[in-house]
Every structure is written in structure tokens, then in C-alpha cells.
Amino acid sequence: MRGLTLYVRSRQVPAALGAATAGTVIAWLLATVFGGQGEVGRTVLVLTVLLLVSVVTTTLGGPDDTLDRTAARPWASLRMSHLAAALTCVLLLLLVTLLTGTRFGPVGCVFRDAAGLLGLTALGTAAVGTARSWFLPLGWTLGAVVFPGMGMVGETLTWQTQASDSRPAAMVAALLATAGTTAYVSRGPRHRTSPEPV
């Protein structure tokens, strides 16, 4: 239990949980004040999911890259559990709003966007490091919000903003979630070659 506590603290999980909760509350309050009752728009939903995923992504890397590669810990299962816990955290924070008048939904979009964006950031963590892993999700999502896609190619490229029944969007999200999980679980965060913020 002490090892788990040290792991959670080294990854700044308490701070990330606090920031994610605060971000959800602020987004919900703004949506309530400016959007009224009912489900929020797709743009508000995907930007809120992006915010929460960006916050929890900061926990995917630790302060010491060498420790993340030592054989003394079962890193693969620990990383898998970490990603599952991060996804659960994002989903719970958003789905609890279903009990209120202003809701982050539908559930299918919340799950698809959270899983896909978390997978994309996990892939970025393994490829370019934790500090830069949110660049691609941010750019891709902002592009999808500004240039909504139509047709199969458009739905594929702008999967984050599509309706919950979009098959191309679901396939892209599933592919990103699978690729990101596989890369992060097997490799962990990219080794820093120079000092950079965690």
C-alpha cells in the first residue's frame, strides 16, 4: 500500500484530480449560465473532455525516467491500471452531470471522446514525452471544432465532434485508444534527453 501511495504522489495524482474536478465544475457552471438546461452542445462537450484528458495526462509520467524502466515494479500492469483509472475519472466527472439539469452527454460521445483522446495522449506520451503529449490532441480537436467534417472522410477526420452513432468516428476512437494503450503500456513515457517539465 505504501508503494501505491508513493506512486500516486510521484505522479501528482491528487493535484490532477483536484484540477480535473475544478475544471468540470467551471465548465458545468458556464454551460448552465450560458446554455441553459439540457445536454450541452458537441463543441462544449469535446472541449471539456479535452480539458480533462489534458489534466490527467500530466500523471502519465513520473519525475525520474530511470525508475519507470526498472524491473523492480510490474510496470505494464501498473500503466494499464493507470490508464483505466484516468479514463474512469474523466467519465465519472462528466457523467455525474447527468443527474443535473445541464448534462454532458450523450454517454456514447463522452465515452468515445474520452477513450480516443486519452489514447492519443498516451500515444504521444510514449512517442514524444508527457510534456508534449497534449499538442496533437489539442490541435486535432480544435481543427475538428472549427472545420466540421461531412461524409465518411470528414467524419473520420473530425471524429471528436460527430454524433454518437457515427461508425467512422467510433472506429477512429477505438483505434487511437488501442494504439495509445499498447504503446504506453509496453514502452512507458519517452525518456527525456534534456530537463523538461513533468
Side-chain angles (χ1 to χ4, degrees), residues 88-104:
T88 302
C89 172
V90 171
L91 293 176
L92 287 177
L93 285 172
L94 293 173
L95 295 181
V96 75
T97 64
L98 296 178
L99 304 174
T100 69
T102 303
R103 302 178 299 278
F104 287 98

Side-chain angles (χ1 to χ4, degrees), residues 150-177:
M150 298 177 65
M152 182 172 285
V153 174
E155 286 186 41
T156 301
L157 293 176
T158 60
W159 59 274
Q160 307 96 314
T161 58
Q162 298 302 316
S164 58
D165 60 351
S166 171
R167 187 177 181 87
M171 291 176 64
V172 172
L175 178 63
L176 290 173

